[in-house]
């Protein structure tokens, strides 16, 4: 989900319907911005926003006039230009893999969570068990910040490639760091963007429902994250 700054409308990744929706909160009105309810297949091209099929959009990031979409079903990032009424693939070849490089050569594996700060889009690349950074135009490249690879997962703090996560679903930026919902590890992790060091921030690593500080708290597959007024808000999915 994202918020459009100019009018406060909510933008929703309607995953199961393969749609992007707009919610006018004041008018309590919903309209479709992109997708036609048919699920796109690998290799899908862009086109008219409401006539083009998309696949399992999972999260959104509004950056200027463009809406970036974590298109989990085709292992890519897409862009919607709602003003002009079209959308298109932006990053990822469609191959299910962890591969850094230029936009067309890079590869994701079920990208799910998005956050951004000062020209960089951060991605929770769930099936690769990694956190990626996409340097936006004019750089246009993909790099891995922390984590393992397909089938290479765990619960290990550390730096860069030494880190092990398990199906991270969301990221949220705050004050030089990314907070990560390390979903299948039932934890919230903190990634320092300068050092690429990942440390456990909250959660014991065991599923449960318990409030408290740090490792005393328990989550059960935490999913979505958001930062507001100095607080990290967590969608604790299975609770």
């Amino acid at each position: 989900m994202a918020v459009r700054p100019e009018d406060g409308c909510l933008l929703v990744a309607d995953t199961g319907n393969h749609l992007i929706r707009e919610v006018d909160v004041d008018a309590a009105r919903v309209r479709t911005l992109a997708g036609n309810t048919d699920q796109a297949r690998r290799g899908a091209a862009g086109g008219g926003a409401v006539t083009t099929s998309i696949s399992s959009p999972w999260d959104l990031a509004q950056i200027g006039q463009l809406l970036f979409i974590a298109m989990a079903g085709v292992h890519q990032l897409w862009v919607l230009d709602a003003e002009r009424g079209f959308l298109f693939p932006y990053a990822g070849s469609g191959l299910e893999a962890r591969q850094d490089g230029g936009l067309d050569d890079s590869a994701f594996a079920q990208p799910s969570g998005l956050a951004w700060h000062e020209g960089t889009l951060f991605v929770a690349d769930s099936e690769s068990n990694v956190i990626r950074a996409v340097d936006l135009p004019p750089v246009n490249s993909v790099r891995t910040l922390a984590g393992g690879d397909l089938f290479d997962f765990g619960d290990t703090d550390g730096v860069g490639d030494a880190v092990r996560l398990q199906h991270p679903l969301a990221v949220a930026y705050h004050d030089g760091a990314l907070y990560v919902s390390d979903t299948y590890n039932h934890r919230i992790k903190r990634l320092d963007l300068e050092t690429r060091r990942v440390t456990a921030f909250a959660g014991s690593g065991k599923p449960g429902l318990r409030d408290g500080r740090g490792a005393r708290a328990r989550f059960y597959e935490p999913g979505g994250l958001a930062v507001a007024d100095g607080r990290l808000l967590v969608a604790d999915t299975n609770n």
Side-chain angles (χ1 to χ4, degrees):
M1 187 172 66
V3 177
R4 193 163 55 208
E6 60 266 31
D7 58 14
C9 283
L10 297 179
L11 305 174
V12 179
D14 191 1
T15 307
N17 280 324
H18 312 293
L19 298 173
I20 307 299
R21 319 291 289 277
E22 173 195 272
V23 182
D24 185 324
V25 177
D26 292 335
R29 183 176 60 244
V30 178
R31 72 182 181 106
T32 297
L33 295 180
N36 59 15
T37 73
D38 292 332
Q39 185 173 10
R41 303 302 176 190
R42 181 179 169 183
V50 294
T51 59
T52 298
S53 298
I54 61 178
S55 182
S56 301
W58 207 272
D59 199 10
L60 308 171
Q62 181 80 42
I63 305 177
Q65 295 300 310
L66 298 178
L67 184 68
F68 286 79
I69 305 166
M71 203 71 78
V74 289
H75 313 296
Q76 292 176 308
L77 303 182
W78 283 44
V79 169
L80 168 64
D81 186 332
E83 185 174 325
R84 293 182 173 89
F86 65 88
L87 77 166
F88 51 90
Y90 170 68
S93 64
L95 179 69
E96 186 178 9
R98 170 192 161 170
Q99 185 169 315
D100 293 344
L103 298 182
D104 294 336
D105 298 327
S106 65
F108 298 85
Q110 198 178 309
S112 298
L114 299 178
W116 74 281
H117 180 71
E118 292 186 348
T120 302
L121 182 67
F122 302 104
V123 184
D125 200 14
S126 300
E127 289 295 333
S128 283
N129 306 294
V130 297
I131 306 301
R132 319 289 290 278
V134 182
D135 297 307
L136 298 173
V139 179
N140 292 317
S141 65
V142 179
R143 52 195 168 93
T144 298
L145 297 177
D149 205 339
L150 284 169
F151 315 117
D152 186 11
F153 55 85
D155 188 0
T156 305
D157 292 351
V159 177
D161 288 351
V163 173
R164 291 295 176 266
L165 306 169
Q166 190 168 186
H167 206 81
L169 277 177
V171 285
Y173 175 86
H174 179 66
D175 195 22
L178 280 184
Y179 292 85
V180 179
S181 62
D182 194 4
T183 303
Y184 289 174
N185 283 326
H186 315 291
R187 293 185 192 268
I188 308 301
K189 302 286 181 70
R190 183 184 185 274
L191 166 58
D192 185 301
L193 291 172
E194 183 175 349
T195 64
R196 297 173 60 204
R197 178 171 294 279
V198 174
T199 53
F201 178 75
S204 69
K206 296 181 179 180
L209 175 58
R210 187 169 67 194
D211 293 344
R213 291 181 178 271
R216 175 170 173 73
R218 285 194 178 184
F219 299 91
Y220 197 168
E221 295 189 8
L225 297 177
V227 173
D229 296 328
R231 295 174 181 266
L232 183 67
L233 307 177
V234 182
D236 196 6
T237 305
N238 275 357
N239 278 323

